[in-house]
Amino acid sequence: MRRKFQDKQSQPLESQEPKAVVPPPSTMHHSNSKKVTPSHGHYLPQLCRPILWYLLLAFVLLTFLHYYKQAPTSNLPVLSTMPSISRTAICLVGGARRFELTGPTILEHVLNVLPEADLFVHSNLDENTFKLALLRSAPRVTEMRIRRPVRFRETEGHMRLLSAGSSPNGIQGLLQYFDLVEGCLNMIAAYETQGNFTYDWILRTRVDGYWTGPLDLKAFKTDSYVVPEGSRYGGLNDRLGIGNRSISDVALSRLSLLPNLASAGFSDLNSESAFHAQLKVFNIPAEELQFPFCILSDRQYKYPPSGDIAPVASIASPGPLSGAKCRPCVPHCKGECIEKLGPEKWLGWTEWRNGSLELCDGSQPWQEGWEDFFDKVAGKVTADMRLKVKEMTTEVCLQEMTGLKRKAGRWNGPDPIEICNLGSTTE
């Protein structure tokens, strides 16, 4: 309408000429009167211009309504079932042993899916820490905390409450892991206090997670804590978790809430059963969903797997693997072979039906030539990043780690030069 008003105020000079005198109707219809014809160069533009504007506006409106009706419903937000995830913190915890393989997939399928989320990284310092330099490509890095490993005192209470059998490093390994998880929660809480705000959501995942597909945003549930299905081992899969702020406060307090579990009468707990007990004590419902990721592991397991022995999946498995242990390997068992193993009787297995699971022989080290197999399955981008880390010199490492330090809102760890000197980089 504003454009129409401007057009009336700035008509061409042609329209400013004196109007022709039109005889009264009585004289126009007189048989002897001279018929007067309006000038086409004067009257038609003035009469047609408003009509053309109305037609244009109608066309735009009809086009919009047509698109709105035809647009796929999957592209339209459904407020009743899809909560807002605008203020989200991502907790990335664990050691960086194989981060040259998992890092690119975390960047693509988790961090880039939530580009506005704040990333908090909590990891132990070791010879693999330099690989975290890949996070320089992350959309946002709010805080990096790289701590020097500390040994926790194992009390009699810890001995009664926790089981050492399922952890490669015994009870000490469980305490270290619980502290990494809760330490990330403390980082988030400190940042909230500084900014005088509260996150709506916290997503917690692991540095050693290998993702084969994007994180599904429908996994954000307001009334439950979402975990991957399978790999329960007597409790709940604790290799990824998504929850609102209040629920996450309980779910991620893995170390400080151990006395609560002891007081409730629990004992002989592994990581998964301790996590399940923790949610149960505080009446937090858990919801299991499928996720397209697995945990890349160098650990060796008995083969063929049975009972509570963890299966080791090939990263080539169609999946989703929902956090099962995995490695790059030419599958040793799939299809009918897996059905003959009788996995429906086993404890904590991931989904295996319909050919979704292909097994490696986990009793041996990684296969010779696994790099070629990995590159073929993972794709060129991930393969290139693997080679970049493998061939990284100390000079390039220093440049990348310094760039990551500058990008991070907070840097709580050694200087990049110490990290790169400690790392297995080439000269």
Side-chain angles (χ1 to χ4, degrees):
M1 296 301 293
R2 181 178 179 184
R3 179 69 180 272
K4 177 181 174 183
F5 174 79
Q6 292 175 342
D7 286 343
K8 284 186 176 183
Q9 298 299 321
S10 57
Q11 294 180 1
L13 294 177
E14 177 184 356
S15 64
Q16 304 297 327
E17 296 177 358
K19 297 182 179 180
V21 179
V22 182
S26 58
T27 59
M28 289 181 63
H29 296 286
H30 194 275
S31 58
N32 297 326
S33 63
K34 184 178 180 181
K35 186 175 181 180
V36 179
T37 303
S39 171
H40 293 285
H42 170 66
Y43 277 95
L44 290 180
Q46 184 177 7
L47 293 174
C48 294
R49 189 175 291 120
I51 296 174
L52 290 174
W53 276 112
Y54 285 128
L55 289 174
L56 179 60
L57 290 174
F59 174 79
V60 171
L61 179 60
L62 289 174
T63 300
F64 172 79
L65 292 176
H66 175 74
Y67 171 80
Y68 184 84
K69 290 180 180 180
Q70 299 297 323
T73 55
S74 60
N75 293 333
L76 299 175
V78 183
L79 297 180
S80 59
T81 60
M82 192 76 173
S84 170
I85 53 174
S86 58
R87 202 149 209 179
T88 303
I90 298 177
C91 247
L92 187 60
V93 300
R97 182 171 186 176
R98 293 289 186 178
F99 196 64
E100 75 276 22
L101 310 183
T102 63
T105 71
I106 294 172
L107 283 165
E108 178 182 1
H109 295 304
V110 180
L111 302 184
N112 288 340
V113 170
L114 294 167
E116 299 301 320
D118 291 331
L119 175 63
F120 296 82
V121 180
H122 197 196
S123 183
N124 282 334
L125 176 67
D126 60 24
E127 68 277 8
N128 294 295
T129 301
F130 77 96
K131 299 174 183 179
L132 294 175
L134 292 176
L135 291 174
R136 187 181 181 186
S137 301
R140 298 165 67 95
V141 181
T142 302
E143 183 174 356
M144 296 284 303
R145 178 177 292 180
I146 302 170
R147 70 177 190 182
R148 301 180 189 278
V150 294
R151 186 169 181 84
F152 288 88
R153 186 172 68 91
E154 300 176 21
T155 66
E156 292 185 5
H158 291 150
M159 301 290 189
R160 289 192 297 269
L161 179 64
L162 301 175
S163 170
S166 60
S167 172
N169 295 312
I171 290 177
Q172 185 63 214
L174 291 177
L175 296 177
Q176 292 272 352
Y177 173 60
F178 293 166
D179 184 62
L180 279 175
V181 173
E182 187 163 350
C184 195
L185 176 65
N186 294 336
M187 293 160 62
I188 291 173
Y191 189 70
E192 289 175 322
T193 300
Q194 180 187 14
N196 193 27
F197 75 99
T198 302
Y199 285 106
D200 298 319
W201 303 93
I202 298 179
L203 182 153
R204 198 274 304 175
T205 189
R206 289 172 47 156
V207 172
D208 53 2
Y210 175 82
W211 288 74
T212 57
L215 173 72
D216 189 348
L217 299 186
K218 293 180 181 178
F220 287 75
K221 308 286 187 179
T222 57
D223 54 355
S224 61
Y225 195 69
V226 174
V227 298
E229 72 172 23
S231 301
R232 301 177 189 92
Y233 302 103
L236 285 173
N237 190 328
D238 64 347
R239 296 164 190 175
L240 177 142
I242 303 173
N244 65 36
R245 184 60 179 86
S246 59
I247 289 178
S248 295
D249 197 50
V250 173
L252 301 183
S253 297
R254 298 298 306 271
L255 190 63
S256 62
L257 292 183
L258 289 180
N260 297 71
L261 305 188
S263 298
F266 290 98
S267 63
D268 199 31
L269 300 175
N270 59 19
S271 182
E272 290 82 4
S273 57
F275 179 57
H276 188 201
Q278 190 168 319
L279 297 184
K280 186 176 180 180
V281 166
F282 289 89
N283 298 315
I284 294 176
E287 182 170 352
E288 296 181 299
L289 298 177
Q290 293 183 336
F291 290 91
F293 82 102
C294 59
I295 298 298
L296 213 58
S297 175
D298 285 84
R299 188 179 174 186
Q300 296 178 21
Y301 296 87
K302 180 181 176 181
Y303 185 86
S306 61
D308 60 352
I309 302 300
V312 180
S314 169
I315 62 169
S317 300
L321 295 176
S322 298
K325 296 297 179 66
C326 65
R327 63 169 64 171
C329 77
V330 176
H332 193 270
C333 179
K334 60 182 179 179
E336 291 184 2
C337 172
I338 291 182
E339 293 181 11
K340 291 179 181 179
L341 295 177
E344 70 276 0
K345 302 176 183 179
W346 300 350
L347 177 64
W349 264 49
T350 189
E351 179 57 53
W352 57 271
R353 290 176 286 257
N354 300 319
S356 60
L357 179 64
E358 300 177 353
L359 289 180
C360 303
D361 181 355
S363 65
Q364 303 296 323
W366 284 20
Q367 294 176 355
E368 185 177 353
W370 67 262
E371 295 93 341
D372 293 336
F373 181 84
F374 177 87
D375 292 349
K376 180 179 179 180
V377 173
K380 187 178 186 305
V381 173
T382 302
D384 288 347
M385 296 182 79
R386 179 187 72 79
L387 289 174
K388 174 183 177 181
V389 173
K390 181 180 179 180
E391 299 171 356
M392 186 178 289
T393 64
T394 301
E395 181 181 359
V396 173
C397 173
L398 183 58
Q399 178 182 350
E400 294 296 317
M401 288 301 299
T402 301
L404 176 59
K405 181 178 180 179
R406 290 172 178 169
K407 182 169 188 170
R410 290 182 175 184
W411 178 271
N412 189 347
D415 287 336
I417 186 62
E418 180 180 351
I419 294 173
C420 292
N421 286 335
L422 184 63
S424 53
T425 55
T426 60
E427 295 299 333

